[in-house]
Amino acid sequence: MTDKADLIPAPARCSRNTAGHTSIGAATALEARPGTEGVARWLRATVGAATGLPLPEADGGDDRVVLGIEPDLPPEGYRLVTDGRPARIEGGSAAGVFWGAQTFRQLLGPDAFRRAPLRPDRDWDLPRVTVEDAPRFGWRGLMLDVARHFMPKEGVLRYLDLMAAHKLNVFHFHLTDDQGWRIEIGRYPRLTEVASWRARTKFGHRASPLWEEKPHGGHYTQDDIREIVAYAAERHITVVPEIDVPGHSQAAIAAYPELGNTDVVDTSALTVWDNWGISANVLAPTDTTLRFYEGVFEEVLALFPSEFVHIGGDECRKDHWRRSPAAKSRIADLGLAGEDELQSWFIGHFDTWLAARGRRLIGWDEILEGGLAPGAAVSSWRGYGGGVAAARAGHDVVMCPEQYVSLDHRQAPGDDEPVPIGFVRTLEDVYRFEPVPAELTAEEARHVLGTQANVWTEVMEDAARVDYQAFPRLAALAEVAWSRLPAPAERDFADFEHRMAVHYRRLDALGVGYRPPSGPRPWQRRPGVLGRPIDGAPPNR
């Protein structure tokens, strides 16, 4: 029997007013009031497929589920009432109704997460409850790196469904890096002809002696992107694209050598990078480069309607700029103090360019160095420090410190963890992560838009490895982002583990290859593949 303790993320209020259950069956109808038609389509396509129930349209009778928008509720808030007939899922907007429908699905039990019914003729029981709920944060995200290891479109759509099942609503799509370019740009065909694949791939950490000696690559056509964005929108998920500048750009330079520092290196000899780490090959600070990326971003804006566009801005090595006469000349012409201010100028150009088109720039916390325009936002990944500085300067922040929510970090000590990277970050560690630093004032804390988990895929060669690293920890991050939890030390992790016992069955039904609580299954291990574990507790900064 499913009860209130089994819901993830935990709702604000859940009351069971009467004992027993309400049954729904083949005669149960679905009434979609104005504005909820998309949620009704999702319920029929997803819950209907799992249960075998047709959920026909009807606007009368007791045996029905009513979807409605109630302006008194918060925009993403919902009220779910199964205590009586008809059942009701009400939200402050269509998004709120959709999140209520996700809770409705959980209440039906793990089999409601399958793609076809196990017993087509059965009725389905709902506990008689009233759930009232709304999210703590408006930005509840997942960053997926498809540049290091490409995830085909079907895998991306699957992850959007997994996000929706956990009430996550921002998909940060990391599309370009040194090791690959993943989005079709019509005016620059070599970005997919050349930059979207590499000849071989390092297997394990960059210190590993192992190589996979076969080409790796792939890209999304513009129609693929349109499909992904539309699929996400139906699930009330915003897709935020990331196009990295001025670092992490060797793949683009390999395709268009004029983008690199041609007065320092022979960029025509470059290939898409086959190793991990931070390439020294960064974009040249020239007008040619600016015009090229303006062209890229013009096509990106046409595909992604999101308010924010992520420009990376992290880990830009400046060795080539220090040796480049052209870069030195640009620094002098602009009256800059040096290469650090040159990077700030580069970021500032696209900040202004995006703002003029009604969009907002967001980047990793390195973009703070040298100052930011008022509308720009920061993804704080190198700990809390960048986010604290940004919030105090009046910038919006997404808190995603790597030592807490970078899910490539290992989940346990010991030799069985596959390709162990970074600090040990257990399920409990993620559950006790607090996105709002205590040192922020209430006014400063309002700049914390929310949080996201970051999935960097250098050592995740396929979807099974992504599943293993992401789950179950993404479920904990989802509760941190949605629920108004107590202070970290006061959180009831035992209760969360109790609810996870049911949630693992949901993940099983969805086919998610998560890390079991007892440790990796034999086929999830990678014996002999070198990682980069870091011992001790991560810095709390």
Side-chain angles (χ1 to χ4, degrees), residues 175 182-186 220-230 239 241 243 296-306 309 359:
L175 289 163
R182 304 298 178 213
I183 179 172
E184 177 189 21
I185 301 297
Y220 310 103
T221 67
Q222 294 201 358
D223 280 345
D224 290 338
I225 294 293
R226 292 183 184 98
E227 180 182 357
I228 288 167
V229 170
V239 184
I243 306 294
V296 169
F297 281 117
E298 282 177 5
E299 296 194 25
V300 167
L301 296 192
L303 294 167
F304 296 91
S306 56
V309 175
R359 305 297 185 95

Side-chain angles (χ1 to χ4, degrees), residues 403-534:
Q403 64 268 47
Y404 296 98
V405 292
S406 283
L407 300 186
D408 53 325
H409 283 226
R410 57 191 172 135
Q411 302 187 61
D415 296 335
D416 285 344
E417 287 304 308
V419 199
I421 297 295
F423 296 102
V424 173
R425 294 287 81 189
T426 66
L427 180 65
E428 182 172 0
D429 290 329
V430 176
Y431 189 67
R432 297 194 189 280
F433 164 61
E434 173 49 49
V436 180
E439 61 262 43
L440 293 182
T441 67
E443 182 60 31
E444 292 164 348
R446 291 189 182 96
H447 286 291
V448 179
L449 300 176
T451 186
Q452 66 183 36
N454 295 331
V455 178
W456 301 107
T457 62
E458 287 93 336
V459 299
M460 302 180 207
E461 70 276 8
D462 54 31
R465 283 286 289 121
V466 175
D467 276 8
Y468 179 90
Q469 293 299 135
F471 288 97
R473 293 181 296 180
L474 191 61
L477 185 278
E479 182 148 314
V480 168
W482 178 278
S483 306
R484 296 183 183 275
L485 299 175
E490 299 168 7
R491 292 177 188 173
D492 190 347
F493 181 67
D495 174 70
F496 179 75
E497 282 189 304
H498 172 80
R499 288 179 283 122
M500 279 301 302
V502 173
H503 200 64
Y504 286 122
R505 293 167 54 205
R506 297 182 191 120
L507 297 178
D508 287 334
L510 288 166
V512 176
Y514 57 85
R515 181 190 187 277
S518 58
R521 297 179 173 95
W523 57 88
Q524 293 174 320
R525 300 167 188 162
R526 296 291 186 275
V529 181
L530 187 66
R532 185 184 59 87
I534 303 174

Side-chain angles (χ1 to χ4, degrees), residues 9 57 96 113-114 120 157 172 222 244 271 309 315 338 364 386 392 425-426 434 477 481 491 520:
E57 293 183 19
F113 288 77
R114 297 184 179 275
L157 299 178
H172 175 169
Q222 294 201 358
D244 256 300
T271 59
V309 175
E315 298 180 326
W364 302 110
R392 286 177 173 167
R425 294 287 81 189
T426 66
E434 173 49 49
L477 185 278
R491 292 177 188 173

Side-chain angles (χ1 to χ4, degrees), residues 54 56 86 93 127 141 208 262 272 299 357 365 392 422 494 512 517 528:
S93 66
S208 167
T262 57
V272 177
E299 296 194 25
R357 288 154 181 81
D365 54 62
R392 286 177 173 167
V512 176

